[in-house]
Amino acid sequence: MEPGGVDSLREPTSVQPDSGVEPASGVETASVDSLKVLYQSCDYIIVDKHWDIRIDSKMWYEKHTVQKQLGLRFPELADPGTYYGFRFCHQLDYSTSGVLCVALNKAAAGRVYHCFKDRRATKVYLALVRGWVEEEKMTIDFSIGENTTEGRTHMMCIQGTDGCENPKPCQSQLTVLEYGDYDGDPVTKVVLQPLTGRTHQLRVHCEAVGHPIVGDYTYSLGEDSAPYRMMLHAHLLHLPLEPLPLQAAAPDPFTTPTDPRWRPQRCLRTVEGVVETLRQQEERRKRWRGREESEEQRRMCQQWLSEWTDV
């Protein structure tokens, strides 16, 4: 999706039909009073969105949404000047769980918007994908556009696909964490980092490299219906705000105690290690940006002095 924008392509309400597979005992079902708050200040609330709940909806029959959860928990913080009462700084797909940032005033929303617009926000996702990914680290680089094929207009597609319109360049990074199996089928646990923001980007990119996300009913065209959820989770969000950055992490749901159907066999690296590497890379980029700014300032100063002495 576009940074901070509203997801214009809504999936059908019944994305995952009743497959007869119940969630594991450690998995809670969604309810309007089950909101999990990860962070709260006078400007922001960050929640851990459930996998079986929409962020918001104009449909009267949508009883469970994050919008309604927030209104129930924090009625005094709702802003009647906004359509939904709360300013959602970015979007998560209906079937995606994890970190979701909500701004409590217009100025706070603007600061986060610019982080996304300038691509300074760091988003880290966890996923289980079908098959064993041979390449431990890869950059997935496929342009993604809207699918105009009849019956698939709620989906996105990679450039070159029949019916693909308005494709835009998109990049995602994939890092393998563990190899294992889910319900006896080979799967890989990975870290996904979107470097651009396009609707369904991670789902489309994983599908494009032959490793679709486990339980993605929509992009498997209804074939992957056995898992109780789509295995995509927004694990971490880092926003380089001033004077202090904002960061929150939602617990990893893809663990054997939470879901015994997932059985890891070989661990290559931990999510904590990957996040630390990303933090170090961001620090290096920050120092480099500061050095570039200093060089630009010196150049401007020298130009000004030269123009002044020539008068």
Side-chain angles (χ1 to χ4, degrees):
M1 69 209 72
E2 297 300 335
V6 176
D7 187 352
S8 60
L9 297 180
R10 295 283 186 168
E11 293 180 275
T13 302
S14 299
V15 176
Q16 190 84 344
D18 184 4
S19 62
V21 178
E22 294 295 326
S25 58
V27 177
E28 297 179 4
T29 56
S31 66
V32 73
D33 57 355
S34 63
L35 184 68
K36 294 182 179 179
V37 177
L38 301 172
Y39 172 87
Q40 183 180 356
S41 70
C42 60
D43 288 327
Y44 304 101
I45 295 175
I46 301 181
V47 302
D48 183 358
K49 176 191 168 297
H50 194 277
W51 51 268
D52 192 24
I53 195 169
R54 290 195 188 282
I55 291 178
D56 51 48
S57 178
K58 297 178 182 178
M59 305 301 180
W60 62 268
Y61 53 79
E62 291 282 1
K63 303 299 183 183
H64 296 163
T65 64
V66 178
Q67 165 203 356
K68 287 183 170 61
Q69 288 180 325
L70 288 167
L72 181 65
R73 177 78 69 88
F74 306 105
E76 73 283 1
L77 299 180
D79 184 349
T82 64
Y83 187 89
Y84 293 113
F86 295 90
R87 294 177 173 87
F88 296 103
C89 298
H90 55 113
Q91 291 284 310
L92 293 178
D93 295 339
Y94 166 71
S95 305
T96 303
S97 59
V99 177
L100 177 66
C101 182
V102 183
L104 298 178
N105 55 71
K106 190 173 182 179
R111 291 193 292 271
V112 173
Y113 168 78
H114 284 292
C115 282
F116 280 104
K117 181 177 180 292
D118 300 336
R119 296 183 181 175
R120 292 183 291 116
T122 300
K123 295 177 287 183
V124 177
Y125 289 74
L126 295 173
L128 299 181
V129 300
R130 293 290 180 188
W132 286 352
V133 182
E134 293 184 4
E135 194 172 346
E136 294 182 12
K137 296 183 180 181
M138 69 170 78
T139 298
I140 307 173
D141 192 351
F142 290 106
S143 295
I144 295 176
E146 299 172 5
N147 197 331
T148 61
T149 304
E150 185 177 356
R152 301 186 185 182
T153 55
H154 59 289
M155 300 169 65
M156 305 293 282
C157 53
I158 62 171
Q159 187 174 19
T161 304
D162 289 343
C164 187
E165 289 190 359
N166 192 30
K168 295 181 180 180
C170 295
Q171 279 193 335
S172 305
Q173 287 185 339
L174 181 151
T175 303
V176 173
L177 295 178
E178 295 178 286
Y179 295 111
D181 66 79
Y182 191 88
D183 260 350
D185 296 321
V187 299
T188 306
K189 184 175 182 177
V190 299
V191 164
L192 296 170
Q193 186 182 12
L195 303 182
T196 52
R198 191 73 160 136
T199 301
H200 301 172
Q201 175 175 318
L202 297 178
R203 299 163 67 181
V204 174
H205 272 174
C206 287
E207 178 77 26
V209 297
H211 296 284
I213 294 174
V214 174
D216 192 342
Y217 181 80
T218 297
Y219 282 92
S220 68
L221 302 181
E223 292 185 6
D224 199 356
S225 61
Y228 68 91
R229 63 162 291 180
M230 180 175 71
M231 304 299 176
L232 179 61
H233 176 72
H235 173 60
L236 181 141
L237 176 66
H238 176 84
L239 300 168
L241 302 177
E242 296 292 345
L244 294 174
L246 181 60
Q247 179 169 306
D252 177 4
F254 308 135
T255 63
T256 302
T258 301
D259 187 355
R261 299 181 184 94
W262 157 241
R263 292 182 292 271
Q265 298 176 10
R266 183 162 66 98
C267 178
L268 272 62
R269 54 186 62 85
T270 65
V271 62
E272 292 82 9
V274 173
V275 168
E276 175 61 20
T277 299
L278 292 174
R279 187 193 66 79
Q280 293 173 0
Q281 291 173 349
E282 178 58 30
E283 285 295 322
R284 287 195 291 270
R285 282 194 293 267
K286 186 176 180 180
R287 288 195 296 269
W288 180 253
R289 284 196 297 267
R291 187 158 52 245
E292 286 182 326
E293 290 173 0
S294 298
E295 292 173 354
E296 177 66 12
Q297 289 167 356
R298 284 195 295 270
R299 187 188 68 79
M300 294 292 290
C301 183
Q302 290 171 354
Q303 181 179 347
W304 178 81
L305 286 173
S306 174
E307 292 172 354
W308 184 77
T309 54
D310 287 343
V311 175

